[in-house]
Amino acid sequence: DGRYLFDGRLLDVENSEDLTETSRSKARLSTLGKITDDQTVIFSPENPKYTVTVFTDIDCGYCRKLHQEIAGYNDKGIRVRYMFFPRSGVGSPSYDKAVSVWCADDRNQALTDAKGGKDIEARKCDNPVAEQLEMGQDLGVRGTPSIFLEDGQMVPGYVPPAKLVAMLEAKQAEAHGQAQAQAQAK
């Protein structure tokens, strides 16, 4: 009848599963699945094993730290798809930098330069920055960097390359184990 409200996570104690996060991950996965590569700035190894989507702010210190280690992520087989999340909002200097990066002839170099503190040429063009900011808010992004794994799980904050690949490997092993269990059950 609407008299009571439950606010919090629902945990399946018997199976050690956070049902709330599982549900949120599925919803995030649906949204993230609609993003095409041409809507992102991608740093990728030749043969990636994993793909993560990172909502980033050019002026965020931990976002810069993550980007300084982009070669380390790529060396571990991680493909990074960047989306913009200027925390200060539309019309802020961070927003304008994100638009300039998007409108640059070489987005990857412009992003690297901007995150390295270099001035980049101010540019304007049709861009997805405001839409990406809104999408990030809809996905529950509250800070940057926010890393989304292939299953839709959100990992807030900076994660070093070795730790991120360990998380991705564990997820992959878990998914493989679940697939085997389902096959045996049939």
Side-chain angles (χ1 to χ4, degrees), residues 33-49:
K34 297 174 187 170
I35 300 166
T36 59
D37 286 350
D38 63 339
Q39 296 171 303
T40 65
V41 179
I42 298 173
F43 287 80
S44 180
E46 191 170 320
N47 297 304
K49 297 177 193 169

Side-chain angles (χ1 to χ4, degrees), residues 3-166:
R3 180 176 173 194
Y4 298 100
L5 172 69
F6 176 74
D7 184 24
R9 295 180 175 271
L10 180 61
L11 304 175
D12 179 344
V13 179
E14 187 175 307
N15 295 312
S16 299
E17 183 180 357
D18 181 339
L19 299 175
T20 302
E21 181 56 33
T22 300
S23 176
R24 285 181 182 161
S25 291
K26 287 178 185 174
R28 289 184 198 121
L29 188 59
S30 173
T31 299
L32 292 168
K34 297 174 187 170
I35 300 166
T36 59
D37 286 350
D38 63 339
Q39 296 171 303
T40 65
V41 179
I42 298 173
F43 287 80
S44 180
E46 191 170 320
N47 297 304
K49 297 177 193 169
Y50 310 101
T51 297
V52 296
T53 301
V54 178
F55 281 82
T56 191
D57 181 332
I58 289 170
D59 293 321
C60 153
Y62 281 104
C63 297
R64 287 180 172 192
K65 180 172 178 50
L66 186 150
H67 192 70
Q68 287 170 351
E69 298 180 30
I70 199 70
Y73 294 98
N74 289 168
D75 289 345
K76 301 232 178 261
I78 303 171
R79 176 177 175 251
V80 177
R81 298 186 330 158
Y82 279 119
M83 296 186 67
F84 294 104
F85 193 85
R87 297 168 300 164
S88 303
V90 175
S92 68
S94 292
Y95 176 87
D96 293 341
K97 289 175 192 175
V99 169
S100 294
V101 165
W102 186 262
C103 297
D105 294 332
D106 182 345
R107 291 179 185 151
N108 290 54
Q109 187 60 54
L111 184 61
T112 297
D113 289 347
K115 285 186 174 285
K118 295 181 182 176
D119 289 330
I120 59 170
E121 180 183 346
R123 292 187 165 197
K124 294 195 184 285
C125 66
D126 281 341
N127 66 80
V129 177
E131 293 161 2
Q132 290 179 2
L133 175 61
E134 185 176 333
M135 179 184 285
Q137 291 168 334
D138 291 346
L139 289 169
V141 173
R142 300 289 174 257
T144 55
S146 284
I147 303 167
F148 288 87
L149 307 183
E150 292 168 310
D151 68 351
Q153 179 184 348
M154 180 173 65
V155 180
Y158 164 78
V159 179
K163 185 174 180 182
L164 184 59
V165 79

